[in-house]
Every structure is written in structure tokens, then in C-alpha cells.
Amino acid sequence: MTSLTGFLLSGNLVAAQENTSNPNIILIYMDDMGYGDIGSTGAMNYQTPNIDKMASEGMRFTNFYTVSPICSASRAALLTGSYPTRIGITGALMPNADIGINSNEVTIAELLKDQGYATGMVGKWHLGDAQKFLPLQHGFDEYFGLPYSNDMWPVDYDGTPADSGSFHAKYFPPLPLIEGNETIEYLEDHLDQDRLTTRYTKKAVEFIERHKEQPFFLYFAHAMPHVPLGVSDKFRGKSDQGLYGDMMMEVDWSIGQLLQVLRDNEIEDNTLVIFTSDNGPWLNYGNHAGSAGGLREGKQTTWEGGNRVPAIIHWPKVVPAGLINNYMAATIDILPTIAAITGASLPDHKIDGVNISSLLKGEKNSQPRKSLYFYYNENDLQAVRNGKWKLVLPHKWNSYEGKLPGKDGYPGERHIQSTNMALYDLRRDPGERYNVIDQHPEVLEELMELVEEARQDLGDDLTDRKGENKREPGKL
């Protein structure tokens, strides 16, 4: 297996690495940003010039997936390179959850810390809010952010304190902002949400400035575009798409600030920047939700709109500029790819990611990832993709289609739909509208073999299979 370290040397790029033999790494993880939410994938009535510049100078992926369309599960997968059901983190953990990420799992931060990296995190964690589960106990030297989603607070949709008997008051305590392991304040209203992107950006830039002379890993998990939307005065009213567009312009500004500090310190060429999202848009929030870019459904579903997300990789002089990668890749592939780049050892236990460094180098016809499983709920195997084919298995889901979405921060209704087994050719039908299962019995047979492998390995609640290779989450 060829690593990108070897590629760097053979490419005579050592001069670009004046401070370290290993690249700095910045992983930007958006929250509920849909496939169609950036300029290069069709965003309308607002601009994302910094993100688009990253795409033009780097590589944009068109078939990039999160392996779970919901918060905690997707973050667990990202940081460990494993399907969330393998490591026991599914769904979205509630405040005061009695489980979290297991200390036996190896995160990207732990992997890089062993390689001498400074490791910092800014933003949303959501892998357990008890201290034993927080970032500093899982490989990060520094942390500043929220322990879970920014809507998990005792505040109503209109920004007023929730009534004592309401859902928000019943299930959500005050929302803590944490630095290190300590709560430094609580977010109390929408004004506090408005400040988040700017405060996060300041902390991220400061981290880069402090560690510019050594290899560093920064995991920047934005609060936005998750509701409630927040935007500072410097961007409020600046777009032609209301608050969502304003917020996206501020997020783009934030990313521009990171890229600028890299340029100012002459470390941009030696910094790998990865930009993606945890899942698709929360569509029933209407004008406060993003766009799936024509894909079917959104967050909390395993249709393409829930799992296929924007992804850009920027690494000057290493990743060829302006390339569009149409091959499949996933968030679980980031850990093993970083391991290959830095020469780090992979965990001893089984992970599910593959090294996609060949894609980053622009190698033609390289397809390191052939297939992908789509699990949701606790352990429902709902679909499998192999090449251009996606087999959807019989299941029910909470659908956005056929219901009027909400408006101005209020959610709309959803309703239960069900599907029989269906086969989609994603090359010609990314919207999953035309079931061609009767036309391709040979493809169905091939994909059912993958389904059986998944059920044996990880189990499947829909068919009452337990799975042989699952691990326990951390427990209090």
C-alpha cells in the first residue's frame, strides 16, 4: 500500500515542509449541511467563495458519504473509522447520557498524538458529556465547545425560555460551553447562538498560531447549520436567502479565516484541510434548513439526501487542483488515510475505513472503496451500495415528503413511510426514483451477498440478527 508520505518525497516537496516531516491536518465538520449547500454544488442566493476556492484548488467529491445520518453516530464513525453500530454509538446521545465513546476505541486525535502532533478540538462533541467521555480523555490536548447539539437546551423555538412542562424543559438542562473539562458559561438565548461561529473561529485561529512550529491536528466541528441558526451582526441580512444564507456566508468567512492564517504563516502547502458534513439537511425546518441538492430525503433517513454529503480536500502541491472525484468514499476512510499519510499504526481492533490516499493523488481508475453499508436506528441495516448500485432493504422511515415544512425556526410535520426491497442505479438516478430491481437479478444476487456479510458481521435488527463483531460503548 502506497502512502502519501512516499508520494510527497517522490514529488520533491520536502522544501514545502520546513517545520515538520508530517503535514498539519484540519478537519472541518459541518452540522446538517446538505449536499447542495455550497456554491460549487448549486447553492442559490448566497455565496461561499472560500469553500469554492478550496474546491477549485483541491479535490471535490461527488459520492462522499457519512455512514449514519444523525449526530452522535456520524461523529463516532468519523473519529474511529468504524461503523457506529460496531462501537455501540447510535442515534443522538441525550444530555446526561450514561454511555459515550469507549476508551478502548482509538480516535484520530490519539493516533496523531502518538506521532507527536498537538491536538485540539473546537465545537460540537456529542460523544458523551460525562467527563470520562469528553475530548481531553480521548486524545485532544485542548477543547472549546458544546458537548452536544445546540438545540438541546431549555429554550423554545422562538428563543424564549421553555415552559416547565414542555419537551425542551423536561429533557434538556442549561446548555454548557466547555473549555478543557470545565463549564465556563451557559448559552441562554439566541444572542449566545449568534456568537458561536465567531467565537469558535477565534479559538481555531489561536490554536493554529500557537502550534504553527510543530505538526498539529485541529478538529473544528461547527455548530451550524444545525438549528437554532445563529449569525453575527456582521453577516445578518447580507444574503438574499434570509437567515440561512446569512449563516452560510459566516461559515464561509470562518473557513476563509483558517485558510488565511495558514497562508500568513506560510504553512498552507504543508496543511491537509478536509471539509465535510455529519449528515444531510434537516428538511422539515423549511427556510432554516439546507438543500440536499436534488437527492432524496435528508437527515435521519438513509436515502441519498441523508448520507451523501459535500466533501472537499485541500492540500496544495499534493492534491491536484480542480479535480472532481466521482468514486465512492466515506468519513470512516479519513482515519486510515491519515494513518497512511503520517506513518501511524492503525488500531489493533477491526475498523471499517479504507485508505483513500490513491484518490487524493489523482490516480486514475483507483477505487479503494467498493461498497458501503447504510445502518440507522440502533442497528437497522437499511441499504447497501456497491459501485453504482444501491440496494434498499425493506424498512420504515420518518419522511419529509408530502408534508409542508416548518418556517422561521419551527419544525414541520413528518410522517411514516415504508419501502419494499428496491434497486437504484445511482449513476443515472441519484434521486432514487426508479426501482430497477426486476431488470437486474444478477445485481440483486451480488448485493444480497454483501447484505449477508453485514448481517453476520454487525447484525441487523430488522431481521433479528445479532452480529459477531460488535463492541460495547463506554459506560458510566
Side-chain angles (χ1 to χ4, degrees):
M1 184 178 293
T2 302
S3 74
L4 277 183
T5 302
F7 176 70
L8 283 169
L9 297 176
S10 64
N12 195 29
L13 298 176
V14 178
Q17 302 183 41
E18 297 177 356
N19 298 325
T20 175
S21 60
N22 287 329
N24 310 308
I25 300 170
I26 300 176
L27 175 53
I28 303 169
Y29 209 45
M30 305 309 302
D31 198 342
D32 294 358
M33 179 179 286
Y35 185 81
D37 277 346
I38 58 178
S40 59
T41 57
M44 299 176 65
N45 298 323
Y46 61 88
Q47 294 75 44
T48 56
N50 293 299
I51 299 172
D52 297 343
K53 190 171 189 288
M54 278 183 60
S56 66
E57 294 177 347
M59 180 178 292
R60 181 167 67 84
F61 288 74
T62 63
N63 283 270
F64 194 88
Y65 289 89
T66 177
V67 293
S68 181
I70 195 166
C71 303
S72 297
S74 75
R75 291 157 203 277
L78 172 76
L79 289 180
T80 66
S82 300
Y83 285 113
T85 187
R86 186 177 301 285
I87 63 174
I89 302 290
T90 59
L93 297 180
M94 295 288 280
N96 302 314
D98 59 3
I99 67 168
I101 187 169
N102 196 310
S103 60
N104 293 326
E105 301 296 337
V106 178
T107 67
I108 296 173
E110 289 170 315
L111 181 149
L112 291 174
K113 195 174 178 66
D114 288 344
Q115 296 298 108
Y117 277 67
T119 58
M121 181 185 172
V122 174
K124 174 179 170 179
W125 177 241
H126 217 170
L127 295 176
D129 59 310
Q131 181 168 317
K132 68 178 291 186
F133 302 134
L134 291 177
L136 265 58
Q137 285 62 248
H138 295 277
F140 290 95
D141 299 322
E142 304 176 28
Y143 174 55
F144 179 84
L146 303 178
Y148 35 76
S149 296
N150 65 321
D151 67 336
M152 293 182 171
W153 63 338
V155 177
D156 209 342
Y157 296 114
D158 63 0
T160 61
D163 293 336
S164 59
S166 70
F167 175 85
H168 285 88
K170 182 177 180 181
Y171 291 101
F172 301 140
L175 179 59
L177 182 66
I178 295 175
E179 188 155 25
N181 284 323
E182 304 298 326
T183 297
I184 59 172
E185 63 184 81
Y186 293 94
L187 273 62
E188 297 181 348
D189 54 33
H190 281 184
L191 291 176
D192 291 331
Q193 301 274 358
D194 290 343
R195 301 168 59 211
L196 269 181
T197 298
T198 298
R199 295 182 73 181
Y200 281 176
T201 304
K202 183 174 183 290
K203 287 289 184 179
V205 168
E206 289 173 351
F207 177 84
I208 294 170
E209 290 279 10
R210 281 188 280 107
H211 297 288
K212 60 189 177 185
E213 302 297 331
Q214 65 181 115
F216 64 79
F217 169 56
L218 172 63
Y219 173 37
F220 189 171
H222 273 276
M224 304 299 153
H226 197 292
V227 293
L229 301 182
V231 64
S232 69
D233 289 342
K234 58 183 176 290
F235 286 95
R236 187 175 293 273
K238 297 297 185 182
S239 80
D240 294 325
Q241 195 177 296
L243 190 60
Y244 194 88
D246 300 346
M247 175 276 305
M248 284 298 304
M249 291 179 67
E250 183 162 32
V251 165
D252 182 77
W253 163 84
S254 171
I255 292 166
Q257 294 296 297
L258 299 188
L259 297 176
Q260 188 61 52
V261 74
L262 298 178
R263 297 186 195 106
D264 291 345
N265 288 286
E266 299 182 349
I267 56 175
E268 182 181 28
D269 287 348
N270 189 42
T271 302
L272 166 62
V273 181
I274 303 167
F275 170 87
T276 189
S277 179
D278 68 338
N279 47 247
W282 209 349
L283 293 173
N284 63 321
Y285 277 88
N287 63 338
H288 281 203
S291 165
L295 302 175
R296 187 173 181 180
E297 295 281 9
K299 172 179 176 170
Q300 298 177 345
T301 81
T302 53
W303 301 102
E304 290 293 285
N307 283 70
R308 195 189 300 201
V309 291
I312 298 168
I313 293 184
H314 181 270
W315 193 3
K317 296 187 180 180
V318 177
V319 174
L323 282 189
I324 295 176
N325 181 79
N326 296 320
Y327 293 122
M328 183 164 45
T331 55
I332 51 176
D333 301 332
I334 292 174
L335 183 147
T337 303
I338 287 175
I341 289 169
T342 62
S345 298
L346 290 174
D348 293 332
H349 52 239
K350 180 178 177 62
I351 66 170
D352 301 292
V354 299
N355 174 15
I356 62 169
S357 60
S358 59
L359 296 181
L360 304 192
K361 290 183 285 185
E363 293 182 4
K364 293 183 178 180
N365 301 317
S366 174
Q367 298 186 57
R369 171 163 294 286
K370 302 295 195 301
S371 61
L372 190 73
Y373 300 132
F374 295 73
Y375 276 90
Y376 189 55
N377 295 323
E378 186 169 343
N379 199 34
D380 294 354
L381 180 61
Q382 297 186 349
V384 60
R385 178 172 175 179
N386 189 50
K388 69 177 184 177
W389 299 104
K390 182 176 178 182
L391 178 65
V392 175
L393 300 167
H395 70 274
K396 295 180 179 180
W397 79 97
N398 209 350
S399 175
Y400 302 103
E401 295 180 348
K403 294 290 183 179
L404 192 67
K407 186 179 180 182
D408 297 339
Y410 287 84
E413 294 183 19
R414 300 175 67 185
H415 62 118
I416 300 298
Q417 290 203 56
S418 62
T419 179
N420 295 321
M421 191 174 292
L423 180 68
Y424 298 99
D425 178 354
L426 296 180
R427 181 194 67 81
R428 61 173 295 271
D429 181 24
E432 298 169 293
R433 300 297 178 184
Y434 306 101
N435 180 6
V436 295
I437 196 167
D438 292 336
Q439 297 178 355
H440 299 280
E442 75 289 352
V443 175
L444 173 61
E445 182 178 0
E446 181 181 359
L447 267 64
M448 283 304 297
E449 291 178 2
L450 293 176
V451 168
E452 177 57 29
E453 290 177 10
R455 288 171 174 166
Q456 183 173 339
D457 182 22
L458 293 171
D460 175 20
D461 286 352
L462 293 174
T463 53
D464 200 27
R465 298 284 292 275
K466 299 301 181 185
E468 299 174 353
N469 299 300
K470 296 173 65 176
R471 302 191 288 270
E472 293 290 322
K475 298 179 181 179
L476 293 179

